[in-house]
Amino acid sequence: MYSLLIHFYAFIVALISPFHRKARLMRFGQWKTNSILREKIDRNAKYIWFHASSLGEFEQGRPMIEKIKAQYPGYKILLTFFSPSGYEVRKNYNGADVICYLPFDTPYRVKKFLNLANPAVAVFIKYEFWGNYLHELKKRGIPVYIISAIFRPDQLFFQWFGAPYRKMLHCFTHLFVQDDRSKELLGKYGIHNVTVFGDTRFDRVLDVRNQARDIPEVERFAVGLNRRAEERAVTLIAGSSWPQDEEILIPYFNEHPEMKLIIAPHEIHREHLMYIESLLKRPFVRLSEVMQDNSLLEGKDCLIVDSFGLLSSIYRYGTIAYIGGGFGAGIHNTLEAAVYGIPVLFGPRFQKFKEARDLIKVGGGFSVASKDEFVGKMDELLTYAEVLKASGESAGQFVKGNAGATDGILKELAL
């Protein structure tokens, strides 16, 4: 039944691919996988295969990939993605020796892939459970691990009909999970090869902070030239924002001349940028324009980031961060901002994100479920400097205190 469902899914992807860009990229990307493996796999080398569904999971596994490259030169890295949103962004990542799409999880494709890739070790990241791959890896005696995993009672494995799916979990050589709740839940179903090591994303955001690039234009906007710290305006960084977020935060910004706004929307197409500009009642400029003419920053109160890849470095210039997505499918990366020791605000849909729940517990993060709640929290942070300082310090210490998962897991792997 499982394999039939995967075949049906592959059929649907093929059917809609002429009309759907993501499906088209996935289909043709998988079609190229076997030729990539034939051409690039070194038959005399040992490969550790890392699989990430998409970009977020890749960033979670990236600290481990890079430490293995540095500490275990006898291994090469094979990196696969399932989603185009991961592969198309990181297909030229130089930390892996071979990068390709993962073929659909059907028995024939699985055996073909493993025959060509012949990994010595397999590492799946967070939520990746592909039954045929897992069973074939176990059958071949190839150690397979999952890292930074989280398990909840509402997942398919733990339903009354979930016994066939729980068999997948027994295929793992070891499961490295983020919290004790996951370990306890797995233990109830007889899965005891489990260790709690936390989330490797904490290691990743610390690496990103240490490697953050200087962006003089953003620094000049946020900090100003030759201004003392006590004279600087409070700067709100709105990262990965959606229209539902912008409808809440921009009106507040319009009414508070004592603050500045840097907004990096999740989507930067023309219509969305124009929508943001239509909401603004104070002087603004796009970063792309400033890059051409620095003088355009003069007198501006809002900077619109209309390019990708800068947000993780831009947070360093903020006083407060607002993370978008919490009024939609779910919040984006809160740790990228918290690592800089600033308080983090986000919408109400955060429950599935352990790091957001924990940020709230330590006082470094705040969920706002409405415009009124956003106004109340921002007023508090702008009015009481001691609250702003304490919540920012809590956020920064939270990230530092949870680092180290990568080193712990590496010690346990059979390398």
Side-chain angles (χ1 to χ4, degrees):
M1 179 62 71
Y2 172 82
S3 294
L4 284 174
L5 288 173
I6 298 295
H7 276 292
F8 180 71
Y9 179 45
F11 171 74
I12 293 299
V13 169
L15 191 66
I16 67 173
S17 61
F19 320 102
H20 191 285
R21 179 178 178 273
K22 187 174 180 179
R24 186 165 57 252
L25 287 170
M26 180 185 291
R27 186 187 181 200
F28 285 103
Q30 290 188 15
W31 180 75
K32 294 178 182 177
T33 291
N34 289 345
S35 60
I36 291 174
L37 295 176
R38 288 191 189 97
E39 178 185 345
K40 295 188 176 182
I41 289 289
D42 180 354
R43 292 294 156 192
N44 297 314
K46 293 188 295 184
Y47 283 84
I48 300 179
W49 167 32
F50 280 86
H51 175 63
S53 175
S54 190
L55 188 59
E57 289 77 15
F58 162 74
E59 291 296 328
Q60 211 155 9
R62 185 169 176 170
M64 186 166 295
I65 293 172
E66 294 180 354
K67 286 213 169 186
I68 287 173
K69 288 291 286 185
Q71 298 177 15
Y72 297 90
Y75 287 95
K76 291 190 174 184
I77 301 294
L78 165 63
L79 173 63
T80 61
F81 290 96
F82 186 73
S83 169
S85 60
Y87 177 81
E88 298 302 327
V89 175
R90 295 300 181 200
K91 60 187 175 183
N92 296 316
Y93 168 61
N94 60 15
D97 299 282
V98 183
I99 304 173
C100 60
Y101 278 91
L102 183 70
F104 286 116
D105 189 26
T106 61
Y108 174 78
R109 291 183 175 98
V110 167
K111 291 176 182 177
K112 187 74 171 178
F113 174 86
L114 292 177
N115 287 342
L116 291 170
N118 192 30
V121 178
V123 180
F124 287 24
I125 303 168
K126 195 174 182 177
Y127 285 139
E128 285 301 272
F129 306 99
W130 296 108
N132 288 316
Y133 278 104
L134 290 171
H135 283 101
E136 188 65 23
L137 285 164
K138 183 177 181 180
K139 181 180 175 182
R140 297 183 182 209
I142 299 171
V144 55
Y145 304 90
I146 190 163
I147 64 170
S148 296
I150 289 184
F151 293 94
R152 302 183 307 272
D154 61 350
Q155 288 173 308
L156 189 63
F157 311 110
F158 311 114
Q159 305 308 306
W160 63 268
F161 52 85
Y165 299 96
R166 282 197 297 276
K167 290 180 180 178
M168 296 183 193
L169 304 181
H170 289 278
C171 293
F172 287 105
T173 305
H174 206 89
L175 299 93
F176 298 102
V177 299
Q178 291 190 28
D179 56 16
D180 290 319
R181 288 196 305 174
S182 296
K183 182 176 181 178
E184 291 167 6
L185 179 60
L186 291 167
K188 290 178 182 178
Y189 293 90
I191 302 167
H192 301 292
N193 52 330
V194 182
T195 305
V196 178
F197 265 129
D199 190 345
T200 53
R201 277 183 303 171
F202 290 95
D203 301 319
R204 175 59 188 157
V205 295
L206 283 167
D207 288 343
V208 169
R209 186 197 66 180
N210 293 335
Q211 299 166 15
R213 58 186 288 190
D214 293 325
I215 310 174
E217 295 81 3
V218 178
E219 183 175 13
R220 182 181 175 194
F221 171 82
V223 179
L225 298 176
N226 303 316
R227 297 178 67 182
R228 293 177 299 179
E230 61 269 21
E231 296 176 339
R232 296 171 187 165
V234 169
T235 301
L236 174 66
I237 311 285
S240 301
S241 64
W242 293 82
Q244 301 98 312
D245 305 300
E246 293 143 9
E247 290 167 7
I248 289 175
L249 64 92
I250 291 179
Y252 186 90
F253 161 75
N254 287 335
E255 297 169 3
H256 289 79
E258 74 275 22
M259 64 178 288
K260 290 184 174 184
L261 173 65
I262 298 175
I263 184 166
H266 184 70
E267 296 181 342
I268 58 172
H269 54 75
R270 178 175 177 271
E271 291 77 11
H272 191 194
L273 294 175
M274 291 180 66
Y275 170 75
I276 291 170
E277 292 171 350
S278 74
L279 295 177
L280 289 164
K281 307 301 181 187
R282 295 171 61 189
F284 61 85
V285 66
R286 296 185 185 184
L287 182 58
S288 60
E289 297 171 339
V290 174
M291 294 291 191
Q292 301 297 320
D293 184 355
N294 222 332
S295 67
L296 293 174
L297 279 176
E298 193 68 34
K300 301 301 189 297
D301 299 323
C302 175
L303 181 64
I304 302 171
V305 181
D306 54 347
S307 57
F308 290 121
L310 300 176
L311 182 57
S312 61
S313 294
I314 286 175
Y315 282 125
R316 69 191 296 188
Y317 302 113
T319 316
I320 304 168
Y322 178 94
I323 309 301
F327 289 91
I331 58 173
H332 294 283
N333 194 334
T334 55
L335 298 180
E336 281 188 338
V339 72
Y340 290 104
I342 58 177
V344 181
L345 281 64
F346 41 83
R349 294 186 180 173
F350 67 90
Q351 290 81 3
K352 290 185 178 180
F353 302 88
K354 180 180 182 295
E355 68 280 6
R357 300 195 307 268
D358 290 344
L359 262 176
I360 292 174
K361 288 178 184 176
V362 301
F366 308 94
S367 174
V368 292
S370 65
K371 180 178 179 180
D372 288 343
E373 288 189 15
F374 176 78
V375 169
K377 182 50 65 176
M378 285 296 297
D379 282 349
E380 180 184 10
L381 294 172
L382 291 180
T383 303
Y384 301 103
E386 66 276 14
V387 175
L388 177 64
K389 180 181 179 182
S391 57
E393 289 176 350
S394 294
Q397 288 300 321
F398 168 71
V399 177
K400 292 177 184 177
N402 283 279
T406 302
D407 289 337
I409 293 171
L410 274 178
K411 291 177 182 177
E412 298 295 325
L413 294 187
L415 300 182

